[in-house]
């Protein structure tokens, strides 16, 4: 018997219309855990680097995390994996809600699409009955609207639906997959789904999931619930509101947006608005949020209520969570009422709420500076908010200038030319980032930005505090119940970290300490993404209920795999390295690993080089960021080293190939 997982994947050949339920190898679960880990193994095995994102040979994988569908609190993430049209690298985006548990209850761990359907279709999974159904009547429909139509059509009000909107159909490079209470947004995954002519995936499952040691597993779950209650009653003092508690950033509960609105940049990630958050603004924004937020909601089997249903007058209700609450507002220099209104339309269209507003702000900056012209924007309204709604429609429909902007700021700037490249200044590996621009170089975040394979900083940072506390006594107090650390040395790193003086940024934490900290934070995110755990209860917040000490127990009692901290760390390193290997094979190198030039005002080139050199060595990579043959073999990834040697990516002396490939 397989525990926690079902032991079956669904293989869907869209070109032929063939559907097959395939048994999986339990050894792969032991080596790669599940979710992101086994997704990466499938992508490595079946999608060679010559395959383009919009090729029929590209795969689109929906993988439920290993512990999804079990009683593990907050474990509900679907990991969607493909090759990104924007970065040309591996994209993996997580969505919460109820989809992954429903997939498990239908008897499946993954759905793997290959090929292209000749017509627009949706996939209907009803336990063991699976079929591709015509979706011609859904063409052009919004993602939320599509879900409602399908549920009524099938007479299945409890079915879970992951759908694309018009942005995905038209292959906008930052199109999302929307799924009720969550979305897979980053990396243009929705564009690949649209290219394959899949409008939606619909799942209804009523089967059981078995765990290996039910009594022990439930005891662990009860411990987590008790700890969540304790943390909710004891928020961490002295940090921003979204870090004081648990859960995926509690944006929809927060009224005080002084920190975000005055520290993040507005427009095309350039303008800092110090003093913006006045009493009048605070009152107006609070009224807007309270009047539009109909209720706070959670994902499957989670008490955290991180999201909210939003009902703006005259518009359909939709669900929102996290920083999308502010991205459109700040991109347009507008107010919260505008942000919540345009986000509703963008959600129906199926767009990444981080990239879309920055692309629109980028276009208007090009217009204001004469690189684009009024003729490029025929019939555009004069008012600020109207211009953003206009651009939203143009991008989603790929009309006129919108056809260029639909490819994101990096590719759009290259096509526009005439100096436009200087305006695409907030990208990492061709992907728009959060508009957070700071003063002094932060060495920890420098490494996370440069080397993060997720290319999304909010899903890398985590359990180590973002800044030192002002007084040592405060740091000592914080460390008293900080049992989550994988090693006691992390407490000392934090205790000795000062806001000013010798032990302050950028030279403290030291280079070696930064390597330790970044590796720990990354490790926890990668474990989450294999198990299907929401990072809001594990990798992202300070002092979370899930950590490196209890995760092995959950895996042992849940999946029946003999696991301890060392084995779990090794497994996470294995599939994290495999993700990197996929991208290395697609041309990513050290030269691609850099934050935006203007991300920090005060930069230290020699220190930055030292940080990358040390971190590459720490991770078992050579000086160009390529995993060494020795390290690959240590992880049991001999097949990767053999492939690298065959392609000339590595040589027998483990030097990088002289071939200057790039992800472009």
């Amino acid at each position: 018997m397989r525990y926690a997982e079902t032991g079956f994947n669904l293989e869907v050949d869209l070109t032929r219309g063939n559907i097959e339920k395939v048994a999986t190898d339990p050894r792969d679960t032991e080596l790669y855990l599940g979710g992101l880990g086994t997704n990466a193994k499938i992508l490595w095995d079946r999608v060679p680097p010559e395959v383009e994102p919009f090729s029929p040979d590209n795969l689109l994988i929906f993988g439920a995390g290993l512990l999804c569908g079990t009683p593990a609190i907050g474990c509900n993430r679907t990991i969607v994996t493909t090759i990104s049209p924007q970065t040309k690298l591996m994209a993996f985006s997580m969505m919460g809600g109820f989809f992954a548990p429903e997939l498990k209850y239908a008897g499946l761990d993954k759905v793997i699409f290959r090929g292209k359907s000749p017509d627009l279709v949706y996939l209907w999974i009803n336990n063991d009955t699976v079929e591709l159904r015509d979706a011609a009547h859904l063409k052009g429909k919004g993602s939320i609207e599509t879900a409602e139509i399908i549920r009524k059509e099938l007479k299945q009000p409890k079915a879970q639906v992951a759908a694309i909107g018009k942005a995905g159909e038209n292959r906008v490079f930052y199109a999302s997959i929307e799924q009720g209470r969550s979305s897979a947004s980053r990396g243009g995954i929705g564009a690949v789904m649209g290219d394959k002519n899949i409008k939606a995936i619909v799942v209804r499952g009523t089967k059981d999931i078995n765990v290996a040691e039910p009594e022990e597993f439930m005891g662990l779950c009860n411990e987590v619930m008790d700890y969540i209650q304790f943390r909710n009653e004891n928020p961490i003092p002295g940090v921003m509101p979204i870090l004081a508690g648990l859960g995926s950033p509690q944006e929809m509960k927060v009224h005080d947006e002084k920190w975000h609105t005055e520290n993040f940049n507005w427009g095309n990630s350039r303008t800092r608005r110090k003093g913006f958050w006045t009493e009048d603004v605070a009152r107006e924004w609070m009224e807007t949020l309270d009047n539009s937020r109909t209720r706070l909601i959670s994902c499957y089997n989670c008490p955290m209520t991180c999201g909210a249903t939003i009902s703006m007058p005259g518009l359909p209700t939709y669900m929102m969570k996290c920083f999308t609450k502010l991205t459109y507002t700040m991109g347009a220099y507008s107010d919260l009422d505008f942000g919540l209104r345009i986000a509703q339309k963008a959600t129906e269209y199926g767009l990444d709420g981080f990239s879309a507003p920055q692309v629109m702000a980028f276009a208007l900056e090009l217009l204001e500076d004469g690189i684009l012209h009024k003729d490029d924007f025929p019939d555009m309204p004069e008012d600020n908010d109207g211009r953003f709604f206009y651009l939203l429609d143009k991008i989603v429909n790929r009309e006129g200038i919108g056809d260029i902007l639909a490819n994101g700021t990096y590719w759009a700037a290259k096509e526009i030319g005439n100096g436009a490249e200087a305006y695409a200044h907030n990208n990492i590996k061709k992907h728009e980032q959060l508009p957070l621009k700071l003063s002094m170089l932060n060495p920890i975040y420098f490494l996370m930005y440069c080397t993060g394979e997720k290319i999304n900083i909010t899903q890398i940072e985590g359990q180590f505090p973002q800044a030192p506390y002002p007084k040592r006594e405060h740091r000592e107090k914080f460390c008293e119940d900080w049992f989550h650390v994988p090693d006691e040395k992390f407490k000392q790193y934090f205790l000795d970290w000062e806001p000013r003086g010798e032990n302050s940024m950028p030279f403290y934490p030291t280079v070696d300490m930064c390597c330790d900290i970044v590796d720990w934070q990354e490790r926890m995110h990668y474990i989450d993404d294999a198990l299907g755990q929401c990072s809001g209860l594990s990798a992202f917040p300070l002092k979370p209920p899930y950590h490196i000490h209890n995760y092995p127990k959950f895996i042992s009692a849940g999946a029946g795999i003999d696991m301890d901290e060392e084995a779990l760390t090794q497994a996470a390193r294995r599939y994290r390295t495999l993700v990197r290997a996929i991208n290395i094979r697609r041309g990513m190198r050290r030269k691609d690993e850099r934050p935006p030039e203007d991300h920090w005002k005060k930069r230290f080139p020699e220190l930055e080089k030292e940080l990358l050199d040390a971190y590459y060595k720490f991770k078992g990579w050579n000086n160009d960021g390529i995993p060494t043959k020795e390290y690959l073999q240590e992880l049991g990834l001999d097949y990767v080293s053999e492939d690298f040697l065959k392609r000339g990516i590595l040589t027998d002396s483990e030097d990088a190939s002289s071939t200057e490939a790039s992800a472009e």
Side-chain angles (χ1 to χ4, degrees):
M1 180 183 290
R2 297 284 277 273
Y3 296 112
E5 61 180 351
T6 69
F8 291 95
N9 293 340
L10 192 71
E11 294 273 357
V12 182
D13 185 330
L14 293 159
T15 303
R16 296 177 175 84
N18 185 61
I19 301 171
E20 186 178 2
K21 188 175 179 180
V22 178
T24 59
D25 186 347
R27 179 62 178 158
D28 282 345
T29 307
E30 294 175 15
L31 292 172
Y32 307 99
L33 296 185
L36 172 63
T38 42
N39 280 11
K41 181 62 166 62
I42 292 167
L43 209 65
W44 171 273
D45 288 343
R46 295 170 54 181
V47 184
E50 298 78 21
V51 171
E52 293 293 324
F54 292 143
S55 164
D57 294 329
N58 189 15
L59 299 181
L60 179 64
I61 307 170
F62 289 73
L66 176 62
L67 296 183
C68 290
T70 73
I73 312 303
C75 201
N76 48 50
R77 260 44 185 176
T78 308
I79 298 85
V80 190
T81 306
T82 190
I83 300 301
S84 165
Q86 191 167 29
T87 67
K88 310 289 185 178
L89 303 172
M90 176 179 168
F92 54 104
S93 188
M94 276 55 66
M95 59 184 184
F98 289 70
F99 189 89
E102 199 77 20
L103 190 64
K104 286 284 198 73
Y105 298 149
L108 298 167
D109 297 316
K110 299 184 193 296
V111 178
I112 304 169
F113 292 101
R114 65 182 184 274
K116 289 189 184 187
S117 171
D119 303 300
L120 191 66
V121 296
Y122 70 86
L123 181 70
W124 168 220
I125 303 169
N126 185 8
N127 288 320
D128 293 325
T129 303
V130 185
E131 60 178 320
L132 287 167
R133 297 174 64 107
D134 177 66
H137 60 300
L138 300 171
K139 185 175 178 60
K141 300 292 186 185
S143 57
I144 301 171
E145 181 184 13
T146 293
E148 290 306 309
I149 291 172
I150 289 174
R151 287 191 186 101
K152 289 178 182 177
E153 183 177 296
L154 297 174
K155 297 182 175 59
Q156 291 282 353
K158 294 183 178 180
Q160 298 305 313
V161 183
I164 57 171
K166 192 180 283 189
E169 290 180 28
N170 290 333
R171 304 196 309 184
V172 175
F173 280 15
Y174 39 97
S176 61
I177 301 170
E178 299 292 329
Q179 189 262 121
R181 302 189 179 192
S182 191
S183 65
S185 296
R186 308 243 76 192
I189 289 175
V192 176
M193 187 163 164
D195 180 68
K196 291 188 177 298
N197 251 342
I198 312 163
K199 182 64 177 179
I201 306 168
V202 190
V203 185
R204 183 73 179 110
T206 56
K207 300 181 182 182
D208 291 329
I209 290 290
N210 299 299
V211 294
E213 302 290 342
E215 185 175 358
E216 182 181 348
F217 195 83
M218 289 308 300
L220 291 166
C221 294
N222 290 334
E223 288 176 10
V224 164
M225 277 301 297
D226 290 343
Y227 185 80
I228 289 173
Q229 183 174 350
F230 166 78
R231 282 283 281 105
N232 284 341
E233 293 169 356
N234 296 273
I236 294 174
V239 297
M240 68 187 80
I242 63 168
L243 291 182
L246 297 173
S248 179
Q250 299 279 353
E251 272 294 285
M252 302 314 298
K253 295 180 181 179
V254 172
H255 289 100
D256 181 1
E257 290 292 0
K258 178 180 175 66
W259 190 85
H260 276 135
T261 57
E262 294 193 359
N263 286 283
F264 282 36
N265 283 19
W266 296 56
N268 185 26
S269 304
R270 290 189 192 273
T271 305
R272 185 71 62 84
R273 300 180 74 179
K274 290 292 185 184
F276 169 80
W277 193 254
T278 64
E279 288 185 8
D280 288 342
V281 170
R283 182 168 55 253
E284 178 191 338
W285 286 39
M286 181 174 68
E287 290 172 358
T288 298
L289 184 60
D290 286 349
N291 290 335
S292 62
R293 186 185 60 196
T294 51
R295 67 190 180 105
L296 293 167
I297 57 176
S298 295
C299 295
Y300 174 88
N301 193 27
C302 182
M304 297 315 303
T305 61
C306 301
T309 50
I310 302 293
S311 298
M312 302 300 290
L315 296 175
T317 296
Y318 70 106
M319 183 270 181
M320 173 180 276
K321 73 178 182 67
C322 202
F323 192 59
T324 313
K325 170 186 169 186
L326 299 181
T327 52
Y328 291 97
T329 290
M330 295 177 69
Y333 297 95
S334 192
D335 58 20
L336 188 59
D337 180 81
F338 160 79
L340 297 181
R341 285 181 179 278
I342 196 170
Q344 185 276 330
K345 193 171 187 180
T347 300
E348 281 286 21
Y349 278 149
L351 280 173
D352 175 8
F354 286 2
S355 286
Q358 288 192 55
V359 173
M360 291 186 275
F362 158 83
L364 293 175
E365 191 174 39
L366 291 180
L367 173 63
E368 290 161 3
D369 288 0
I371 293 174
L372 290 174
H373 306 282
K374 289 185 68 175
D375 293 346
D376 294 313
F377 303 87
D379 303 317
M380 185 168 70
E382 294 293 328
D383 68 291
N384 183 62
D385 292 359
R387 296 194 304 174
F388 269 73
F389 277 105
Y390 169 94
L391 284 171
L392 180 66
D393 289 339
K394 290 293 184 186
I395 288 168
V396 166
N397 291 296
R398 281 191 173 269
E399 293 177 349
I401 191 65
D403 189 37
I404 297 172
L405 297 173
N407 296 337
T409 58
Y410 175 85
W411 298 107
K414 289 180 77 71
E415 186 169 349
I416 293 166
N418 195 27
E421 289 93 338
Y423 293 72
H425 61 95
N426 197 37
N427 297 336
I428 299 174
K429 296 166 188 167
K430 307 173 182 63
H431 196 0
E432 298 85 14
Q433 298 302 300
L434 280 174
L436 180 59
K437 302 297 180 76
L438 302 168
S439 179
M440 177 69 73
L441 175 82
N442 182 319
I444 299 170
Y445 279 70
F446 171 82
L447 284 177
M448 289 194 289
Y449 270 115
C450 288
T451 64
E453 231 78 34
K454 286 189 178 184
I455 322 177
N456 182 11
I457 194 64
T458 57
Q459 294 179 356
I460 302 169
E461 60 187 329
Q463 297 184 15
F464 196 86
Q466 294 186 1
Y469 288 8
K471 296 182 179 179
R472 187 176 181 89
E473 62 198 68
H474 298 154
R475 301 194 290 274
E476 289 173 346
K477 182 69 176 175
F478 180 86
C479 289
E480 284 179 1
D481 61 349
W482 198 14
F483 56 84
H484 314 73
V485 295
D487 190 284
E488 289 295 304
K489 64 185 177 183
F490 289 95
K491 293 182 181 179
Q492 198 62 50
Y493 296 169
F494 184 60
L495 285 171
D496 294 340
W497 194 11
E498 300 279 355
R500 287 168 296 279
E502 288 185 4
N503 279 9
S504 66
M505 288 192 291
F507 299 107
Y508 191 95
T510 66
V511 169
D512 289 344
M513 292 175 186
C514 289
C515 292
D516 279 338
I517 293 165
V518 173
D519 181 69
W520 169 32
Q521 298 198 130
E522 181 183 75
R523 187 191 330 167
M524 296 312 301
H525 279 284
Y526 272 80
I527 294 170
D528 288 350
D529 297 344
L531 303 185
Q533 179 57 251
C534 170
S535 65
L537 290 175
S538 171
F540 182 83
L542 302 173
K543 301 183 178 179
Y546 291 99
H547 43 80
I548 193 63
H549 306 304
N550 65 0
Y551 258 155
K553 299 174 184 176
F554 272 95
I555 296 169
S556 296
I561 300 170
D562 187 21
M563 188 64 65
D564 57 24
E565 292 177 27
E566 183 178 352
L568 179 55
T569 295
Q570 191 75 342
R573 286 175 176 159
R574 181 178 299 113
Y575 57 82
R576 189 271 175 268
T577 304
L578 187 57
V579 170
R580 187 166 190 86
I582 291 169
N583 289 338
I584 290 293
R585 195 165 67 163
R586 298 190 69 83
M588 190 186 77
R589 298 292 185 271
R590 181 178 182 133
K591 59 184 169 50
D592 301 305
E593 300 209 292
R594 57 181 184 268
E597 293 299 322
D598 63 347
H599 188 82
W600 291 281
K601 289 181 181 178
K602 297 179 182 178
R603 298 289 292 269
F604 299 81
E606 290 184 9
L607 174 61
E608 292 172 20
K609 180 182 182 303
E610 186 183 354
L611 282 162
L612 269 186
D613 286 346
Y615 194 63
Y616 281 4
K617 186 175 181 180
F618 180 93
K619 298 292 279 190
W621 307 339
N622 70 16
N623 206 43
D624 210 15
I626 302 169
T628 65
K629 182 172 65 175
E630 180 183 32
Y631 187 60
L632 289 168
Q633 291 173 344
E634 178 188 323
L635 294 173
L637 298 176
D638 303 64
Y639 58 89
V640 174
S641 65
E642 291 168 8
D643 183 89
F644 280 4
L645 287 165
K646 188 183 301 182
R647 294 177 182 274
I649 293 170
L650 287 176
T651 68
D652 285 326
S653 61
E654 296 188 345
D655 293 325
S657 165
S658 59
T659 304
E660 277 298 316
S662 75
E664 191 171 323

